[in-house]
Amino acid sequence: MTGQRSAVGRDQSRVDETDPTPPATAATAFLGGSDGNAAYRDAIERARDVLLESFATAEGPYAGTDHGTLRERIAALQVVPDDGSSIEDALETVADEVLADSVRVHDPGCVAHLHCPPTVPALAAELLLSGTNQSMDSFDQAPAASVLEERVVDACCDLFGYPTGADGVFTGGGTESNFLGLLLARDRYCERQFDRDVQAAGIGPEAASDLRLLCSDAAHFTAEQAAHHLGLGEDAVVTVPTDDRRRIDLEALDETLERLEADGRHPFAIVGTAGTTDFGSIDPLEALADRAAERDLWLHVDAAYGGACAISDRLRPKLEGIDRADSIAVDFHKLFYQPIGCGAFLLRDGDRYRHLERNAAYLNPERDDAAGVPNLVSKSTRTTRRFDALKPFVTFNALGRTGVADCVEYVCELADAVAAEIRAEPALELCCDPELSAVVFRYRPDSGSDSLPTAAVDRVNRAIRDELLADGEAVLARTEVDGTAALKLTLLNPRTTLSDLRDVLEAVVDRGEALEADREVIDSA
């Protein structure tokens, strides 16, 4: 057969009437050919123009359109028409019907949630990772991406002071990272306490009825959500009161642990929070690590918000003790300024991933493990994942550690400055000194807090937030503090100034005074 073409070669060189013909749309709908590459260039340029003209340069944080109007208008759009038109038409529809009524996270008046303006380098990286479409479950789908994710994870472990042998994986955010930490904590405890392999045999009756995890009453709801998904039920989560700084109360924690053990329960994990959603409070992590070590409990730290302090020399002491945590949740799409979704789960002892490992012959066979091939699927609860590690990699290299740290430090300083403004305004009440960049406050009548019933004050504060959103003047968060309605500034944007926030506070007071004068609002409370 030497020198002869194979049958396959002969078939490939011939086109006959039985060969399928590529669809006409394929030439310009996909990268790879000259026509597709040119179409991509034109589409990206048009999308960029639409983004800038219909979103980035629009005024105000939101147009104010209500949900009913949006539903009615968008219901009229065709989603899967029989015949397409053009990318230009499709993008024009998006500009008019979607972007025009999107929250503009880059606007200084958008101060509601932990919803950051992404950096320009991260947006460029988003373009690259979407265009290359690497799938992070196996090396042969994402060769360089798999190795780079490992490298970025190693750098993150170094950032948080983890030792050699630490490991981790990129996640969609704090919810997934918190779930991973508690999954490994549960499986480790069941193995050590009950000699039970949960992956093979399930949690068993002892774990189902008696396992308990502890967190503060200000911890994120994903602790309860994870307990539900892990088959333990939300009743397995024991919340501990917080102190006057909204951190877990250590004396109450000790009493709770002693009570659970006396009742025959099995505490298996403590969830510490480094940056609560409302107040940015950071639990005393060193003390939690001591208690976890004394009782051989897993310490997981939810640092989705406050983890960015690790990049700042000035703010890093706030996280003292985090290097002793068994696992850490970090969100890059908060104070690290990355597009959604981008988080990481870090594991102090990478060997504990064995509780999660599995092999599939088509994806990550055991022989690949033996050869050191980086198939990352066994580190994640997901199979297909995006190459999100590229976004912080490009951002860190473009801005440098100090450039990112400057942004984090600025918004924390801004929170302190606006808190001082709130203290100085008689019509406003600061609910707690800020720890990071969240500022919780409420409108109070000038004549004193006793002049209106609590229900009326609640109604006024909720109405202030709703009216400012409806008018597109400001996007504020709403919450409750000790059962009473409150407002919140969540400061993530390094372009927001104190002058911008003074305008927001002035608008709050003006709306509050007008609502307070409206007897219908007061009497209906």
Side-chain angles (χ1 to χ4, degrees), residues 118-135:
T119 67
V120 169
L123 295 178
E126 187 77 51
L127 181 71
L128 296 176
L129 72 92
S130 295
T132 57
N133 202 37
Q134 305 294 281
S135 183

Side-chain angles (χ1 to χ4, degrees), residues 2 10 33 85-86 94 106 134 153 165 180 185 195 272 306 344 392 450 473 482 490:
T2 303
R10 287 194 301 273
S85 54
S86 67
V94 170
H106 57 277
Q134 305 294 281
V153 165
L180 266 171
D195 192 26
D450 295 332
E473 190 170 352
D482 300 326
T490 308

Side-chain angles (χ1 to χ4, degrees), residues 425-428 443-453 457 509 512-513 516-517 519 522:
E425 170 55 63
L428 300 177
Y443 172 79
R444 286 304 231 176
D446 286 332
S447 54
S449 60
D450 295 332
S451 63
L452 290 179
V457 174
V509 173
E513 290 175 347
E516 186 184 351
R519 294 312 307 176
I522 302 305

